[in-house]
Amino acid sequence: MHICLFDIDGTLLDTGGAGQRSILHMLEEEFQVSAPVEGIPTAGRTDHAIMVDLFEYFDIPNTSQNRKRFERAYLDLLAEKLKEQKGHVLPGIKSILESLSERAHVDLGLLTGNFEHGARKKLKHYDLNHFFDFGAYGDHHSDRNDVAHEALKQIQKRHAPELVEAATVWVIGDTPSDIHCARAIEANVIAVATGVYPLEDLRKCEPDYLFAHFEESEPLLSLFQSPH
């Protein structure tokens, strides 16, 4: 069995910056702070880690109440920004997910830094949500490796131990963080240069397979053949 854990932003979707615009707009509306945010990377990181960095940057107390305010206000704006921004499903993704979802020996999940509700909003907007029954998200963890370990727990809950032991787990993503977190759970990793990281940067991280894009779906699909 193959268990495929997909990242979202830069791997499945380009939202046209809807997430970042939602965060900046939300900071103005909810916390009354506005400034050019420099030195806070977002690609490959969890929403929790980005939130903590922003609190520090703007000197906002990192309290449970503020974290709830941040997430609620961000999610309220996200649906609106998804409609405003000209995003799209990345080339080849729809046909890849359709093909894999029809294979009984493949289980599709998410391994993403997005808040869970944010991830689902993005996937619903682009009509991809129904492909994914389970996932691990960036609600509580700053370290992407911890999200990967959470994904492993989800897999162990879904499948019998002997099936999990015999399964091949794959992480599919577009950043060095996706590659590193796959290694943290001893998963195979497929990197694709459809996000902000160029091919050469990803190659240095030594993924098992590296693609410039998924426009031709067959090379990727051929990795998930039935064992019979």
Side-chain angles (χ1 to χ4, degrees):
M1 184 167 192
H2 296 286
I3 300 169
C4 300
L5 302 171
F6 280 87
D7 172 56
I8 296 178
D9 297 288
T11 302
L12 300 177
L13 304 173
D14 177 351
T15 66
Q20 290 189 11
R21 285 178 181 271
S22 300
I23 286 174
L24 293 174
H25 191 167
M26 175 274 298
L27 286 167
E28 289 181 17
E29 285 194 346
E30 189 71 22
F31 294 98
Q32 290 77 52
V33 292
S34 176
V37 179
E38 295 165 357
I40 299 178
T42 57
R45 302 185 70 217
T46 69
D47 281 351
H48 181 87
I50 295 163
M51 174 180 65
V52 169
D53 281 359
L54 286 167
F55 282 171
E56 190 174 335
Y57 185 91
F58 287 112
D59 202 24
I60 298 167
N62 182 5
T63 62
S64 172
Q65 183 184 13
N66 280 341
R67 290 194 296 274
K68 285 175 186 169
R69 283 174 66 198
F70 182 104
E71 183 173 353
R72 185 191 65 249
Y74 162 68
L75 292 172
D76 284 348
L77 281 168
L78 183 59
E80 175 188 320
K81 297 298 178 190
L82 284 167
K83 288 176 189 167
E84 286 177 9
Q85 300 305 118
K86 302 236 181 286
H88 59 277
V89 178
L90 287 163
I93 288 297
K94 200 81 183 271
S95 63
I96 286 166
L97 294 178
E98 284 170 353
S99 178
L100 291 178
S101 67
E102 290 168 0
R103 302 184 186 191
H105 64 284
V106 174
D107 194 15
L108 298 179
L110 298 166
L111 200 175
T112 173
N114 281 273
F115 292 133
E116 180 173 359
H117 290 307
R120 293 299 180 177
K121 278 178 186 280
K122 289 177 182 180
L123 293 171
K124 279 177 186 168
H125 182 79
Y126 291 102
D127 196 28
L128 299 182
N129 195 42
H130 60 286
F131 290 114
F132 301 100
D133 286 339
F134 78 103
Y137 309 91
D139 293 68
H140 308 294
H141 301 295
S142 287
D143 192 327
R144 191 66 176 261
N145 291 3
D146 292 331
V147 184
H149 284 290
E150 182 59 39
L152 210 50
K153 286 181 192 168
Q154 295 291 329
I155 290 165
Q156 288 160 349
K157 283 181 189 171
R158 283 173 69 77
H159 299 291
E162 62 274 13
L163 216 160
V164 173
E165 200 160 315
T168 304
V169 179
W170 300 80
V171 173
I172 301 105
D174 65 294
T175 72
S177 294
D178 294 296
I179 299 168
H180 298 322
C181 80
R183 297 303 180 213
I185 58 170
E186 299 182 353
N188 289 350
V189 57
I190 297 164
V192 61
T194 44
V196 299
Y197 286 92
L199 212 57
E200 283 312 308
D201 285 8
L202 295 172
R203 183 173 282 117
K204 287 173 191 170
C205 298
E206 301 182 344
D208 295 297
Y209 297 91
L210 178 60
F211 293 85
H213 50 72
F214 291 144
E215 288 178 32
E216 300 292 327
S217 59
E218 197 45 48
L220 179 70
L221 293 173
S222 67
L223 300 174
F224 309 117
Q225 298 297 340
S226 169
H228 305 296

